[in-house]
Amino acid sequence: MSSTVDYDKLRTDAAAEVENELSGITDPFERRSHAEELRDQANMEIASLKDERDQLIAAAALYEPTDKLYEHFGIGYAHMKRIAGAALGLGHELRSVAPWPTDPAQAAREARIPRPDNLMDQAVAVAMRYEATEARRDAAVAHLAAARQAVLTAGGRTKVAPLVRPDFDIVRQNAANEIRAQFATLAVAPEERLRLAAEAVDQAEQEKANLLPERDEAVNSLAFYTTARGIYLSAGVSRQGFVRIQRRALGLPRDAKLPPRPQQPELARAAGVPLVKNAAEDLPEIAAAYEAAEARHSAALEIRDAAVRVLAAEPYNWTLTRVAECIDRDVTVVHRIMNPRS
C-alpha cells in the first residue's frame, strides 16, 4: 500500500494561498497584522485537530500496520512512532529507543485506543487538514520573520542552539540488553526460538530502513543550512561518516572534498537537499532511535545465528534449505552462518 496523497503539493498549495493573500497587502504594518491573524487562526485549528489526528494515527499504526504507513499521514516513521507511544502511555520512552510492542493490536486494546470504521480514510482526511493548516501557519510565520527568510534566500545560514548529544554507548547497550534479556527468559522449542529471533532481526532491519533517511535529511539540513557544529556527535556517526552523508546529498564522488562552507547552502539547494523543520530538535532523537535499532539488530542476529547452528546439528539435522525458509533468507546466508570463515 502506497500513499496516494502528495503532501508536498498539499503543503505548497496551502502556503501559496497565504502568500497570495498577503502579497496583495502593500502596507507593511497591515500585512504584518494580517499575517499574525492567519498565524493565530491556524494555531487554533491545529490545536483542535491534533488530538483527533494523533488518536487516529496511533490506531492505524497499532491496528493496521503496513510498510511505510507513515507516508499516508505526511509524517516520518519516528514521528508516527512517537504518536503511537504517547497513545500507549509510554511517554518519552518510545521516542528514542523502545521497539514496537510484540502485539501492537493487543497493546492498543489494552490502552483502550478506539478502532473506528474506515480508520485509514478518517486518519488520512484529518492528516491532510492538519498538514495543510500547518503549512498555512508556517507561511504566515515566515512573513513575521522576514529577516530569517532573507538570510535563507541569500544563501546564508540560520543560527541554531547547541545540539543535544545523546550517550550513544548507553543507548546501544540498553537496546542490545533488552533483546538479550527477552530471549534469555524465553522457554520455547528451538524451532520457535529461531522463528522469533528471525522476526526480531526483520523488525530491527525495517526500523533502520525507516529511520535512516530521516536521520540523514536532518543531518544535511543542519550541515548545509545552519550554524550547527559537531553535528556528527548528535547523529551517532564518525567524522568520516558525517562527510559521506554530505557527499551523497550533494551527488559528489566518494573521494571528493566538500565545497567551501560559504558555498554549501546554495549548492545544497541546487541539489534538492530539503530544509527540515525542527531538525536541531529531532536529530538526536532520530539518531538515538536508529542506533538502538542497529544494536537490537546486531543482538538479534547473534541469537538467530546461534539458533541456526543448533537446528543444523544433532539431533535436529535441519538442511540449509529448511533453515533458509524458516528465517526467510537465501541459502547462501545460511551457509555463511554455518561457515563464517569461508
Side-chain angles (χ1 to χ4, degrees):
M1 178 172 63
S2 60
S3 176
T4 58
V5 180
D6 187 340
Y7 279 96
D8 286 338
K9 184 177 186 303
L10 181 147
R11 297 185 189 100
T12 298
D13 290 347
E17 293 177 6
V18 173
E19 294 292 336
N20 291 337
E21 187 171 346
L22 292 174
S23 64
I25 304 174
T26 56
D27 181 80
F29 295 99
E30 183 181 349
R31 188 190 315 172
R32 183 181 64 182
S33 177
H34 194 52
E36 289 174 343
E37 290 178 6
L38 293 176
R39 177 201 61 192
D40 294 343
Q41 289 171 2
N43 279 332
M44 289 177 62
E45 187 173 353
I46 288 169
S48 69
L49 289 171
K50 188 176 187 305
D51 287 346
E52 180 184 6
R53 182 202 70 150
D54 287 359
Q55 186 175 75
L56 288 169
I57 289 177
L62 296 165
Y63 288 121
E64 303 181 16
T66 58
D67 185 37
K68 296 187 177 180
L69 178 67
Y70 51 91
E71 291 184 352
H72 290 264
F73 313 126
I75 59 178
Y77 174 76
H79 192 177
M80 183 181 74
K81 196 174 181 186
R82 289 198 301 269
I83 291 173
L88 292 173
L90 299 179
H92 186 75
E93 288 296 319
L94 201 61
R95 293 183 62 183
S96 54
V97 299
W100 286 102
T102 304
D103 187 339
Q106 180 60 29
R109 286 190 291 271
E110 291 175 356
R112 297 184 178 180
I113 297 173
R115 185 178 188 175
D117 296 334
N118 302 318
L119 171 57
M120 281 299 298
D121 290 341
Q122 291 189 49
V124 170
V126 174
M128 290 174 63
R129 289 174 56 197
Y130 188 93
E131 293 300 315
T133 305
E134 268 205 336
R136 289 196 299 272
R137 188 271 311 278
D138 291 346
V141 169
H143 280 270
L144 299 174
R148 173 179 177 276
Q149 291 300 104
V151 168
L152 286 176
T153 304
R157 295 172 179 271
T158 57
K159 185 176 181 179
V160 294
L163 304 180
V164 172
R165 296 176 178 177
D167 189 330
F168 287 107
D169 287 339
I170 291 178
V171 167
R172 298 181 189 107
Q173 189 62 52
N174 288 345
N177 287 344
E178 182 183 354
I179 288 291
R180 293 181 182 125
Q182 176 185 340
F183 280 86
T185 59
L186 191 63
V188 295
E191 181 175 353
E192 179 66 6
R193 183 179 182 84
L194 176 59
R195 185 187 67 79
L196 292 172
E199 286 183 357
V201 170
D202 291 344
Q203 179 181 332
E205 284 181 352
Q206 185 60 58
E207 238 184 318
K208 287 168 56 183
N210 288 332
L211 289 164
L212 184 60
E214 288 189 59
R215 186 201 69 181
D216 288 357
E217 281 194 354
V219 165
N220 287 321
S221 182
L222 291 167
F224 295 133
Y225 301 133
T226 77
T227 60
R229 296 287 186 174
I231 299 169
Y232 70 98
L233 296 171
S234 298
V237 298
S238 65
R239 286 179 181 270
Q240 294 79 8
F242 175 54
V243 172
R244 284 196 295 271
I245 292 171
Q246 294 175 83
R247 283 200 197 105
R248 285 197 299 268
L250 296 177
L252 299 175
R254 291 182 59 180
D255 57 349
K257 290 185 63 175
L258 289 175
R261 189 171 169 83
Q263 298 176 17
Q264 290 177 7
E266 182 178 356
L267 293 173
R269 271 187 289 275
V273 177
L275 176 65
V276 178
K277 183 174 64 174
N278 300 325
E281 294 80 11
D282 291 347
L283 174 61
E285 175 186 317
I286 295 169
Y290 179 85
E291 292 302 314
E294 174 67 40
R296 285 195 296 273
H297 181 252
S298 297
L301 276 176
E302 293 175 3
I303 296 166
R304 184 200 69 181
D305 293 356
V308 165
R309 297 185 188 101
V310 167
L311 287 166
E314 295 285 352
Y316 305 102
N317 294 320
W318 277 27
T319 65
L320 297 186
T321 300
R322 186 177 179 185
V323 173
E325 290 175 351
C326 184
I327 67 175
D328 194 24
R329 291 293 189 273
D330 190 86
V331 172
T332 56
V333 174
V334 182
H335 185 269
R336 284 197 297 269
I337 295 172
M338 299 302 302
N339 304 277
R341 295 182 181 179
S342 63

